[in-house]
Every structure is written in structure tokens, then in C-alpha cells.
């Protein structure tokens, strides 16, 4: 009677196979239905093996969370056969634009995305990727945000939605000015590096300390930076409300994912709030910013 054979141990390749299958399932569970795996690989959000590291998971989480705010706006605008037009300012590598196209515009069969970016190499890279993927209704323009509203930029007279994800410093203000000029139905903004107001506060600090105890709020450099950032976004919201938009301010994602996390969502109502304009003018005056910033915030 022969002794029973010992149970066969799984080979290393089999063990790797099962682990690979579970990793693939975990990655797919984090993606949106219908999301192009090939696109995410091209954007280097997924590795060539289809893996998702911590940094790319954080980036994907930010873009998906922003998509949750933008998709209902697009769906509303796409009713009755309208072809939505979206301009993405400070597009960078166009993560947001490509994912919006993949998840919404591709299935609609209409509408167009304009990616606006001043770095020529990123524009060329995005154009090549759009061509490879057959994303025919994506257009990339090598422009500074401040120049995009001009007629020579070649953009349509009206744009439905303006987005700016981490557009640095005054580029967010330029995106707002662009949206106002193009009569945007909505603006979705995540400001970044708000340095201009802090610089103005620093320049007038000695005078303001003598004039008002409120200047203690920006007496120390770290407070100057933080107050300048906060004050900038407050004035942006008032500027939008005074221009006829309903404004909501919330978090983009958890603070552990991004320190620049404030999301400003503005929807056109046509109701220009006089009280918002009055408060904006009062804030500019109180902080000694009228001379430098009144024009930027529509108060000239």
C-alpha cells in the first residue's frame, strides 16, 4: 500500500496570481463604472501593471470628488440636446479634463472641453494623448489664464462651466474674470497659493498697526500668510455674489489629502447682491486694500 502523496503546495506563480487578482479587484473597486483603464495608465494614475499607489490614489480621490460637483451641472446643461462647453484653467496635465471627458462627454457624444495651460510642453503632451485616445472634442490652448478671454484666443463667446483646480495665486481671479466675461453658468474653483493679498498686508502693516487693532490679525508672518489666503477667498465669494452668482464653499476632500482644500462653487442666478458689493468694498477699505485690489474685485 503506497503512502498518500502530501498535498501539493501552490506554486509561487499561483500565489502571485491570486494576489494579483485581489489587487486588480481592489483597484477596480476605486474606479468609476466605465472608467478607461488605458487613460488612467496614460495619466500615470495607474502603473503599467494597473496598480494604484498612495500618491495616485490621493490624486484620483481629489479629481473624483470634484467630478461629483461638476457632473450634475453638466447633466443639467446637457438637457434638451445642448452641447456643454467647459473651460479648465491652469489645466496642467489635464487630469480633470480627461476624466470629465471619459466619464461624461464621451458618452454624451456632444460638448467640448478646452484645456488652458501656459506651459507649452504640457499642452503638446495633452494634445497627443487626446489624439491617441480618440478624444476628439478636447482642445488644448497654450495660453495664460489672463489672456484666455481675449478675442484672439479663439474661444467661443460663451462658456457654460469654468473650472480651475489649484490655479496658483491670481490665476484663480483670472479664471473668475474669464467666467464673468464668458457669462458662465457655473464656476468650480479650488484656489491655491493666494499670495497677492498677503503681500499687500505686509506692505501696509506698520500703518495699519497704528490705525486699527485689527492689524494684530496679521502682525506675525505666519498669520499674514494665513489671513491673506482666507481674506482672498472671502473677497472672491463676495465678488461672485455681487456679480449674480449663488456661492457655496466647502471642502474638496479631507485635509489629510490636500492642504489647499477649499472648494468654491458658484452658480449663475442673475440676482446681483448689493449687500455683497457693499461688504466687499468695506473689507477692502478696512484692510487698506482698496487702492491695490479694487479693480481686481470689480470695485473700481
Amino acid at each position: 500500500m503506497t503512502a498518500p502523496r502530501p498535498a501539493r503546495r501552490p506554486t509561487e506563480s499561483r500565489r502571485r496570481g491570486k494576489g494579483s487578482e485581489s489587487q486588480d479587484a481592489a483597484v477596480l473597486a476605486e474606479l468609476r463604472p466605465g472608467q478607461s483603464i488605458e487613460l488612467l495608465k496614460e495619466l500615470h494614475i495607474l502603473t503599467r501593471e494597473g496598480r494604484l499607489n498612495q500618491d495616485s490614489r490621493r490624486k484620483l480621490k481629489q479629481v473624483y470628488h470634484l467630478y461629483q460637483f461638476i457632473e450634475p451641472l453638466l447633466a443639467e446643461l446637457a438637457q434638451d440636446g445642448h452641447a456643454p462647453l467647459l473651460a479648465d484653467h491652469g489645466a496642467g496635465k489635464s487630469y480633470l479634463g480627461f476624466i470629465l471627458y471619459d466619464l461624461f462627454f464621451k458618452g454624451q457624444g456632444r460638448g467640448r472641453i478646452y484645456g488652458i495651460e501656459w506651459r507649452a510642453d504640457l499642452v503638446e503632451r495633452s494634445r497627443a494623448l487626446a489624439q491617441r485616445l480618440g478624444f476628439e472634442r478636447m482642445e488644448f490652448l497654450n495660453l495664460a489664464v489672463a489672456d484666455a478671454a481675449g478675442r484672439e484666443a479663439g474661444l467661443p463667446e460663451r462658456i457654460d462651466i469654468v473650472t480651475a483646480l489649484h490655479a496658483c495665486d491670481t490665476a484663480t481671479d483670472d479664471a473668475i474674470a474669464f467666467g464673468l466675461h464668458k457669462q458662465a453658468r457655473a464656476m468650480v474653483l479650488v484656489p491655491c497659493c493666494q499670495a497677492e493679498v498677503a503681500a499687500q498686508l505686509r506692505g501696509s502693516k506698520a500703518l495699519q498697526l497704528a490705525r486699527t487693532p485689527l492689524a494684530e490679525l496679521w502682525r506675525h508672518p505666519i498669520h499674514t500668510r494665513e489671513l491673506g489666503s482666507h481674506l482672498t477667498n472671502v473677497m472672491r465669494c463676495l465678488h461672485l455674489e455681487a456679480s449674480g452668482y449663488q456661492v457655496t464653499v466647502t471642502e474638496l476632500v479631507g485635509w489629510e489629502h490636500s492642504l489647499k482644500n477649499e472648494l468654491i462653487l458658484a452658480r449663475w442666478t442673475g440676482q446681483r447682491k448689493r449687500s455683497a458689493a457693499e461688504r466687499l468694498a468695506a473689507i477692502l477699505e478696512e484692510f487698506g486694500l482698496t487702492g491695490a485690489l479694487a479693480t481686481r474685485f470689480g470695485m473700481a
Side-chain angles (χ1 to χ4, degrees), residues 6-7 21 29 34 41 71 77 100 115 124 137-138 141 155 165 211 217 252 264 271 284 291-293:
E21 288 174 6
K41 288 181 179 180
E71 190 275 336
L77 287 164
L100 283 171
E124 289 303 320
R137 287 172 286 109
M138 291 191 79
L141 304 172
L155 286 157
L165 177 57
R211 189 180 74 86
L217 292 173
L252 174 59
I264 299 172
Q271 297 177 349
L284 287 166
L293 299 178

Side-chain angles (χ1 to χ4, degrees), residues 21 50 74 84 105 112 173-174 215 244 268 270 283 291 298 300:
E21 288 174 6
L74 287 169
F105 285 81
R112 182 172 290 270
D173 299 307
D174 293 333
W268 169 254
I283 287 174

Side-chain angles (χ1 to χ4, degrees), residues 16-35:
R16 279 203 307 268
K18 289 181 179 179
S20 177
E21 288 174 6
S22 64
Q23 287 177 343
D24 291 343
V27 169
L28 289 172
E30 297 201 39
L31 305 185
R32 294 293 180 117
Q35 178 75 72

Side-chain angles (χ1 to χ4, degrees), residues 56-75:
S56 57
R57 181 177 281 108
R58 183 165 50 248
K59 190 175 298 179
L60 189 64
K61 184 180 180 70
Q62 288 184 43
V63 175
Y64 276 170
H65 198 69
L66 194 55
Y67 177 79
Q68 289 180 335
F69 290 96
I70 299 172
E71 190 275 336
L73 300 172
L74 287 169

